């Protein structure tokens, strides 16, 4: 009998203990106390309606009030024997919580926690835990994790009770796009998806060496297989390709220009550019063109509940952006950026100017006109606008506008006579507008309609005072496009994408000389109709997307098929295998007629394929590899093969014996990409390395096979970033690659006769390499807040060691001794300091 009594008591005690741990709403809890002790609690319902407290029973009112005081964020004030006032404590709260998946209860590491309206927050640790201190009782927390629905919870609901951390559960989100498999890659805000694309989240972006702002197209150059042979954004080489082989999309509008300062900084303002995706292979079939890569830039696409924006200033430009909601259904986004050189020429500007114009008519090693009183004026700017309209939850429209501009004026003076002998003007712009409508018709079917108009033009004018001769050059691209696509969810794991795209591209080139009179103008138009389809299978371990794009080119009366494949298979918890393949065609390309075209500053011009001497560019590439991810370590290894045919000698930028030859050929790249990354809460260290061989094949040239101009055999980035304090970050990194190939004259016979003059007598094409490129960069970032204002000060420097890195070398006939060749060598940026101040609200 005694044993049974003990057992009954233990069971009853355990039951009562469990009941005591049960969380119940505060208001019903107070109602119970009111009935039990015949009292009345006075409080604001909105303060208490989200609060919970552990259930408990009490012998008297005094114990009950003490319990409320200790176990909740409420302040107790006894007004009389019967009336008691309850208010939120005016002090700050400290608490902890653990984030878990709502379906399988696994912990979620790397989730972002933000206290809305402040700069406070953090990242969940390896066991899903996070802890915050000094938080206002009425504050709300916004918890976001890629692949999961956003969770908003009141800080008061997370008050520490008995030393236990409250468990919070995030629901998986049914994404139409592939989910993220690496949520923090290299630095905060840089991620890797299941289909091997790299994603940059500008809003959450951390710090990279040398950068003071999250420059979109500078950032992607830390990725393996992505580099620039001359530091220029206008010359991004993806797996050995040229810049014109990259499809640039801004809010699904095709862009034909990408850089300010003639390629040294990105022309796309990062403050409203929410997300950037870089796809090197296995591209979804809805994207055509861009035989080397697809780079998608998307601005903020959701309507906020309050006005937000910011202003910024750095050594090159000033910018501002704002988002204005008009109710819950309409919002307007505006942004602008303008160079500050007309007000202040900083050391940053001077370094960029010297680098941009060192091999042009404005400033080169044989032209000292700037020192003799020549005048120059250069400015750049960009503006964007976006209208967001939510008709309802299922139908949403967006309209986007962008203008990018670079303007240059240069006047050359005769130092002795003090009169102007030559004036030069250059105007380069890309203006585009596009709109789309996204509609959800059912839980399993949605559609997307997009239309756009984009116009790129570069115009130059040179006027020679003495001869009254005027030289005008122009290159204009005008493209319109429309895309319709549907997405059908077939069961839980299968998705079918299908659609149609029409594109009309017109390109005009013209040259006009006034004395003697000469005029040449050419305009070409290509229209294409494309049908595309993808089937995508996704499960917890398997991702498989197979697609086909069929394009009909009206002008050539030809149909071209482009199969696509992208697969990933997890083997166990830490290892995955991946493979991609694709065929692509491209109609537009860039060529260089003469190096001095457009003042020698931006000498490439767009042209269209004619299926004759300028064929359609076609590519095929395959890649495969493995990925290992565990405890903050990431190891990624990929091998790739790419063949691109239909390239012309004119668009490769030859500065040797092939400079003026018109012919077509191909190039072939084989390579290996390697990523090693260790990430913890307060630091990230990474190494990216690419090995590749890249060779031309031109049947009509002798020799017919030789190294590609973009053949960088070894390329490496070694860097790290560290959070010294909660609001102080530093980054340090090294960029290394072997020198690019170039052609040297034949020793002892450097020049030969040609007509009435002499030309350089080149030897084997691209047989030599420039010295290796090595640059060390550094940045430091300090964040602060003042009420609703969040600020950030960043200091950075490119080429900290001021290394003299050659990026190009070619030869001209020495004017003082025509039997000798004179080397022209261009160097990279020298030591380039920069600083930025950004204020957001």
């Amino acid at each position: 009998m005694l044993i049974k009594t003990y057992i009954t008591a233990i069971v009853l005690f355990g039951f009562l203990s469990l009941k005591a741990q049960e969380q119940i709403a505060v208001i019903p809890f107070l109602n119970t106390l009111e009935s039990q002790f015949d009292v009345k609690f006075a409080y604001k319902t909105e303060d208490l309606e989200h609060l919970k407290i552990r259930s408990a029973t009490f012998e008297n009112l005094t114990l009950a009030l003490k319990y409320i005081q200790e176990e909740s964020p409420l302040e107790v004030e006894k007004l009389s024997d019967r009336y008691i006032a309850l208010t939120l404590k005016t002090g700050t709260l400290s608490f902890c919580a653990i984030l878990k998946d709502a379906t399988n209860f696994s912990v979620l590491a790397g989730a972002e926690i933000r206290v809305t309206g402040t700069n406070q927050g953090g990242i969940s640790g390896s066991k899903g835990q996070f802890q915050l201190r000094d938080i206002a009782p009425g504050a709300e927390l916004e918890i976001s994790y890629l692949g999961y629905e956003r969770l908003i919870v009141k800080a008061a609901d997370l008050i520490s009770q008995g030393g236990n951390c409250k468990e919070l559960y995030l629901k998986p989100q049914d994404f139409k796009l592939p989910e993220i498999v690496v949520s923090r890659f290299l630095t905060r805000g840089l991620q890797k998806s299941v289909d091997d694309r790299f994603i940059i989240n500008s809003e959450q972006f951390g710090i990279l060496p040398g950068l003071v702002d999250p420059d979109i197209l500078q950032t992607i150059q830390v990725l393996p297989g992505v580099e620039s042979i001359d530091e220029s954004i206008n010359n991004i080489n993806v797996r050995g390709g040229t810049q014109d082989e990259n499809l640039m999309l801004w809010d699904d509008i095709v862009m034909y220009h990408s850089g300010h300062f003639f390629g040294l900084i990105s022309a796309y303002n990062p403050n409203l550019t929410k997300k950037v995706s870089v796809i090197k292979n296995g591209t979804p079939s809805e994207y055509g063109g861009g035989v080397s890569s697809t780079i998608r830039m998307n601005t903020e696409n959701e309507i906020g509940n309050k006005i937000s924006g910011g202003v910024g200033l750095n050594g090159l430009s000033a910018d501002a952006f704002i988002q204005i909601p008009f109710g819950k259904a309409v919002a307007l986004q505006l942004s602008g950026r303008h160079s500050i050189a007309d007000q202040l020429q900083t050391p940053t500007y001077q370094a960029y100017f010297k680098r941009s114009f060192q091999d042009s008519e404005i400033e080169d090693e044989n032209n000292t006109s700037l020192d003799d009183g020549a005048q120059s004026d250069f400015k750049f700017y960009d503006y964007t606008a976006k209208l967001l309209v939510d008709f309802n939850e299922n139908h949403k429209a967006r309209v986007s506008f962008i203008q990018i501009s670079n303007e240059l004026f240069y006047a050359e003076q005769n130092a002795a006579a003090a009169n102007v002998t030559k004036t030069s003007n250059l105007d380069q712009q890309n203006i585009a507008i596009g709109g789309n409508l996204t509609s959800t018709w059912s839980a399993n079917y949605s559609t997307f309609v997009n239309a756009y108009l984009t116009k790129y033009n570069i115009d130059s004018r040179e006027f020679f005072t003495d001869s009254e001769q005027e030289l005008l050059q122009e290159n204009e691209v005008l493209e319109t496009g429309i895309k319709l696509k549907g997405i059908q969810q077939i069961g839980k794991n299968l998705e079918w994408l299908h659609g149609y795209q029409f594109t009309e591209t017109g390109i005009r080139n013209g040259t006009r000389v006034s004395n003697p009179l000469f005029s040449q103008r050419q305009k070409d138009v290509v229209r294409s109709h494309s049908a595309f389809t993808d089937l995508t299978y996704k499960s917890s371990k398997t991702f498989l997307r197979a697609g086909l794009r069929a394009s009909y080119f009206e002008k050539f009366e030809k149909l071209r098929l482009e199969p696509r494949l992208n697969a990933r298979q997890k083997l166990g918890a830490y290892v995955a295998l991946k493979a991609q393949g694709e065929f692509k065609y491209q109609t537009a390309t860039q060529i260089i007629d003469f190096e001095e075209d457009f003042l020698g500053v931006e000498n490439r011009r767009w042209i269209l394929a004619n299926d004759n001497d300028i064929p359609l560019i076609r590519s095929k590439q395959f890649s495969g590899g493995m990925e290992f991810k565990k405890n903050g370590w990431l190891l990624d290894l990929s091998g790739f093969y790419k063949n691109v045919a239909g390239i012309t000698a004119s668009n490769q930028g030859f500065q040797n014996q092939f400079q003026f030859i018109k012919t077509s050929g191909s190039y072939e790249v084989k390579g290996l990409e390697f990523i090693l990354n260790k990430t913890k809460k307060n630091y990230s260290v990474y190494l990216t390395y690419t090995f590749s061989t890249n060779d031309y094949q031109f049947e009509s040239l002798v020799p017919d096979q030789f190294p590609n101009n973009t053949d960088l055999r070894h390329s490496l980035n070694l860097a790290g970033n560290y959070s010294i304090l909660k609001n102080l970050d530093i980054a340090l990194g090294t960029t290394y690659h072997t020198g690019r190939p170039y052609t040297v004259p034949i020793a002892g016979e450097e020049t030969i006769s040609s007509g009435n003059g002499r030309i350089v007598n080149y030897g084997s094409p691209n047989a030599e390499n420039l010295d290796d490129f090595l640059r060390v960069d550094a940045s430091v970032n300090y964040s602060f807040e003042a009420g609703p204002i969040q600020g950030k000060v960043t200091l950075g420097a490119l080429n900290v060691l001021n290394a003299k890195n050659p990026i190009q070398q070619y030869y001209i006939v020495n004017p003082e001794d025509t039997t000798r060749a004179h080397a022209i060598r261009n160097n990279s940026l020298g030591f380039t300091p920069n600083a930025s101040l950004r204020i957001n609200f």
Side-chain angles (χ1 to χ4, degrees):
M1 184 68 179
L2 184 61
I3 295 176
K4 183 181 290 187
T5 302
Y6 276 125
I7 293 175
T8 303
I10 292 171
V11 171
L12 182 60
F13 180 80
F15 175 77
L16 292 175
S17 298
L18 289 173
K19 291 293 288 181
Q21 296 296 324
E22 181 184 350
Q23 297 282 322
I24 63 172
V26 164
I27 292 178
F29 175 78
L30 296 176
N31 293 338
T32 302
L33 295 180
E34 287 179 336
S35 300
Q36 182 181 354
F37 298 110
D38 191 25
V39 294
K40 286 291 183 180
F41 291 101
Y43 52 83
K44 291 183 179 179
T45 303
E46 58 268 27
D47 287 346
L48 274 65
E49 59 185 353
H50 297 293
L51 292 182
K52 290 186 177 182
I53 195 170
R54 288 186 301 165
S55 176
T57 58
F58 308 96
E59 295 180 358
N60 56 60
L61 179 61
T62 302
L63 292 175
L65 297 181
K66 182 180 179 182
Y67 184 82
I68 294 172
Q69 183 84 21
E70 293 176 350
E71 297 294 331
S72 75
L74 297 174
E75 195 72 51
V76 178
E77 182 181 0
K78 201 169 182 181
L79 303 177
S80 67
D81 289 341
R82 190 159 190 264
Y83 292 97
I84 302 160
L86 299 177
T87 57
L88 285 174
K89 293 177 180 177
T90 57
T92 57
L93 303 179
S94 298
F95 49 81
C96 64
I98 299 174
L99 298 180
K100 291 187 176 182
D101 186 299
T103 55
N104 59 22
F105 308 110
S106 61
V107 297
L108 300 177
E112 182 184 14
I113 300 94
R114 294 175 55 199
V115 181
T116 57
T118 75
N119 212 22
Q120 294 175 288
I123 303 293
S124 61
S126 59
K127 297 182 180 179
Q129 80 285 0
F130 70 89
Q131 185 172 6
L132 295 178
R133 299 183 183 277
D134 300 326
I135 305 300
E140 285 188 339
L141 271 64
E142 180 181 324
I143 303 172
S144 56
Y145 192 70
L146 285 168
Y148 291 82
E149 295 180 3
R150 185 177 58 172
L151 176 66
I152 296 180
V153 60
K154 285 187 174 292
D157 292 348
L158 302 180
I159 189 68
S160 179
Q161 299 175 353
N164 297 322
C165 297
K166 185 168 183 178
E167 293 184 353
L168 299 176
Y169 298 93
L170 301 186
K171 296 179 181 179
Q173 190 170 17
D174 183 20
F175 274 121
K176 299 302 180 185
L177 293 176
E179 66 272 17
I180 301 299
V181 295
V182 182
S183 59
R184 183 181 177 186
F185 168 70
L186 307 188
T187 189
R188 189 172 64 254
L190 186 55
Q191 298 134 356
K192 195 168 182 288
S193 73
V194 70
D195 66 348
D196 215 41
R197 78 177 70 184
F198 296 92
I199 298 173
I200 301 169
N201 189 321
S202 299
E203 186 179 41
Q204 301 174 359
F205 198 75
I207 183 173
L208 284 178
L211 299 184
V212 296
D213 286 309
D215 188 295
I216 295 166
L217 300 181
Q218 290 281 8
T219 299
I220 68 174
Q221 293 179 44
V222 304
L223 304 177
V226 182
E227 53 240 336
S228 173
I229 55 173
D230 60 2
E231 292 185 315
S232 171
I233 281 169
N234 288 346
N235 206 1
I236 291 179
N237 313 114
V238 179
R239 289 180 172 173
T242 53
Q243 167 67 19
D244 56 343
E245 294 172 3
N246 301 317
L247 173 63
M248 294 277 184
L249 296 172
W250 183 84
D251 273 355
D252 292 298
I253 303 170
V254 177
M255 302 297 293
Y256 282 89
H257 182 60
S258 55
H260 282 318
F261 231 123
F262 302 103
L264 291 181
I265 62 174
S266 170
Y268 304 103
N269 193 323
N271 300 299
L272 284 180
T273 305
K274 179 82 171 183
K275 186 175 74 172
V276 182
S277 301
V278 181
I279 309 171
K280 295 185 286 186
N281 195 3
T283 313
S285 64
E286 63 176 294
Y287 304 115
V291 296
S292 280
S293 76
T294 299
I295 301 173
R296 293 189 63 210
M297 296 163 280
N298 294 98
T299 58
E300 175 62 61
N301 211 39
E302 298 299 325
I303 297 175
N305 54 15
K306 62 180 181 179
I307 295 177
S308 61
V311 294
L313 175 69
N314 60 42
L316 296 174
S317 62
D319 68 85
F321 73 97
I322 191 169
Q323 177 172 258
I324 308 171
F326 301 95
K328 295 183 178 180
V330 179
L332 179 64
Q333 298 172 1
L334 301 169
S335 79
R337 176 171 49 169
H338 200 289
S339 57
I340 61 172
D342 52 344
Q343 303 295 325
L344 176 65
Q345 294 192 0
T346 65
T348 311
Y349 172 85
Q350 292 170 359
Y352 275 61
F353 189 93
K354 181 178 180 180
R355 163 64 184 84
S356 293
F357 302 115
Q358 65 179 307
D359 189 27
S360 68
E361 296 184 20
I362 311 305
E363 181 178 343
D364 60 45
E365 68 174 290
N366 294 314
N367 183 357
T368 58
S369 57
L370 286 177
D371 298 326
D372 293 333
Q375 302 174 13
S376 67
D377 180 34
F378 170 70
K379 63 182 178 181
F380 63 83
Y381 57 87
D382 58 75
Y383 303 110
T384 70
K386 186 172 184 177
L387 178 66
L388 302 88
V389 180
D390 290 353
F391 299 112
N392 53 48
E393 284 296 319
N394 296 323
H395 301 281
K396 301 179 180 182
R398 306 290 186 259
V399 179
S400 302
F401 169 83
I402 186 171
Q403 179 177 3
I404 298 168
S405 181
N406 289 283
E407 296 178 5
L408 173 68
F409 168 77
Y410 170 69
E412 187 175 318
Q413 291 182 309
N414 185 310
N419 64 316
V420 175
T421 60
K422 176 183 173 183
T423 60
S424 303
N425 296 84
L426 184 72
D427 183 20
Q428 184 179 39
Q429 294 197 26
N430 201 154
I431 301 175
I433 186 170
N436 61 70
L437 174 65
T438 303
S439 300
T440 302
W441 302 100
S442 70
N444 297 321
Y445 192 72
S446 61
T447 58
F448 177 84
V449 179
N450 176 62
Y452 68 87
L453 169 66
T454 185
K455 179 184 178 183
Y456 165 79
N457 63 275
I458 179 170
D459 301 285
S460 71
R461 173 187 178 272
E462 292 182 272
F463 183 75
F464 301 86
T465 306
D466 295 341
S467 61
E468 294 188 348
Q469 183 188 65
E470 184 179 52
L471 170 62
L472 301 175
Q473 292 179 300
E474 64 172 338
N475 176 220
E476 180 182 89
V477 182
L478 185 64
E479 180 172 299
T480 56
I482 184 169
K483 178 194 289 186
L484 304 92
K485 72 175 180 180
I487 301 175
Q488 175 73 50
Q489 194 70 34
I490 306 173
K492 180 181 178 181
N493 302 110
L494 193 62
E495 181 182 275
W496 176 39
L497 179 144
H498 49 280
Y500 163 81
Q501 183 174 11
F502 168 77
T503 306
E504 179 183 85
T505 307
I507 296 181
R508 183 177 66 195
N509 279 289
T511 301
R512 183 178 183 275
V513 181
S514 62
N515 184 22
L517 185 62
F518 170 80
S519 181
Q520 183 182 45
R521 176 172 288 193
Q522 180 179 356
K523 183 176 181 179
D524 296 294
V525 177
V526 170
R527 300 181 183 91
S528 64
H529 304 265
S530 301
F532 54 86
T533 181
D534 279 338
L535 272 177
T536 303
Y537 174 83
K538 292 185 290 185
S539 69
S540 59
K541 291 185 177 294
T542 304
F543 171 83
L544 177 63
R545 182 176 64 221
L548 178 68
R549 183 182 180 91
S551 297
Y552 177 75
F553 300 97
E554 286 186 7
K555 186 174 183 178
F556 316 133
E557 297 183 346
K558 289 185 176 180
L559 178 68
R560 292 292 181 260
L561 301 180
E562 305 175 33
R564 314 282 175 87
L565 179 68
N566 198 313
R568 185 177 189 270
Q569 178 65 47
K570 287 190 69 175
L571 304 177
Y574 311 116
V575 179
L577 301 179
K578 56 183 180 176
Q580 297 90 31
E582 66 181 24
F583 282 52
K584 279 186 175 181
Y585 287 85
Q586 181 174 322
T587 58
T589 186
Q590 288 180 309
I591 64 167
I592 300 175
D593 285 336
F594 299 97
E595 286 293 333
E596 63 271 18
D597 283 353
F598 302 110
L599 314 184
V601 175
E602 187 72 79
N603 51 23
R604 294 179 180 269
R605 64 176 75 220
W606 286 97
I607 61 169
L608 278 172
N610 57 22
D611 205 34
N612 188 9
D613 59 319
I614 308 173
L616 283 169
I617 299 177
R618 54 197 184 276
S619 73
K620 56 183 178 182
Q621 64 169 319
F622 309 95
S623 58
M626 60 82 63
E627 178 185 284
F628 173 83
K629 181 166 67 77
K630 182 181 180 182
N631 296 334
W633 283 98
L634 171 67
L635 172 64
D636 193 307
L637 186 65
S638 299
F640 63 90
Y641 167 83
K642 181 169 76 170
N643 181 278
V644 177
I647 64 172
T648 64
S650 301
N651 83 327
Q652 296 303 300
F654 287 123
Q655 289 183 298
N656 54 19
Q657 61 266 50
F658 304 139
Q659 182 173 353
F660 303 110
I661 293 180
K662 308 290 186 181
T663 187
S664 61
S666 64
Y667 69 86
E668 183 179 83
V669 189
K670 301 173 185 176
L672 186 70
E673 296 172 353
F674 174 81
I675 302 170
L676 181 63
N677 182 208
K678 172 62 176 177
T679 302
K680 294 285 284 186
K681 181 179 180 180
N682 60 341
Y683 74 87
S684 177
V685 180
Y686 57 89
L687 168 70
T688 65
Y689 169 73
T690 305
F691 167 79
S692 65
T693 61
N694 189 351
D695 295 306
Y696 286 123
Q697 180 72 45
F698 286 94
E699 292 183 1
S700 61
L701 300 182
V702 179
D704 60 354
Q705 186 172 338
F706 52 95
N708 195 308
N709 291 339
T710 64
D711 181 29
L712 302 181
R713 197 60 54 91
H714 303 277
S715 178
L716 179 146
N717 280 281
L718 174 62
N721 52 75
Y722 179 68
S723 298
I724 302 175
L725 300 171
K726 182 179 179 181
N727 56 351
L728 183 62
D729 300 326
I730 62 170
L732 182 68
T734 298
T735 300
Y736 165 85
H737 62 71
T738 49
R740 65 183 294 189
Y742 72 106
T743 308
V744 298
I746 296 176
E749 197 177 353
E750 296 181 4
T751 65
I752 57 175
S753 298
S754 177
N756 296 325
R758 298 186 71 83
I759 60 173
V760 177
N761 184 26
Y762 285 101
S764 298
N766 288 348
E768 299 292 332
N769 289 81
L770 296 174
D771 295 337
D772 293 350
F773 180 101
L774 179 65
R775 193 183 74 193
V776 177
D777 307 321
S779 295
V780 59
N781 181 332
Y782 175 74
S783 302
F784 61 92
E785 61 176 297
I789 302 297
Q790 295 91 47
K792 183 170 65 174
V793 176
T794 307
L795 304 177
L798 297 170
N799 199 359
V800 173
L801 302 180
N802 198 27
K804 303 296 182 182
N805 290 307
I807 55 175
Q808 186 179 37
Q809 183 165 317
Y810 63 98
Y811 293 83
I812 61 174
V813 175
N814 191 329
E816 297 179 0
D817 181 0
T818 59
T819 64
R820 302 292 301 274
H822 174 64
I824 303 294
R825 172 174 285 204
N826 296 329
N827 292 320
S828 67
L829 278 168
F831 172 67
T832 307
N834 201 353
S836 77
L837 170 64
R838 179 152 300 282
I839 302 294
N840 293 333
F841 58 88

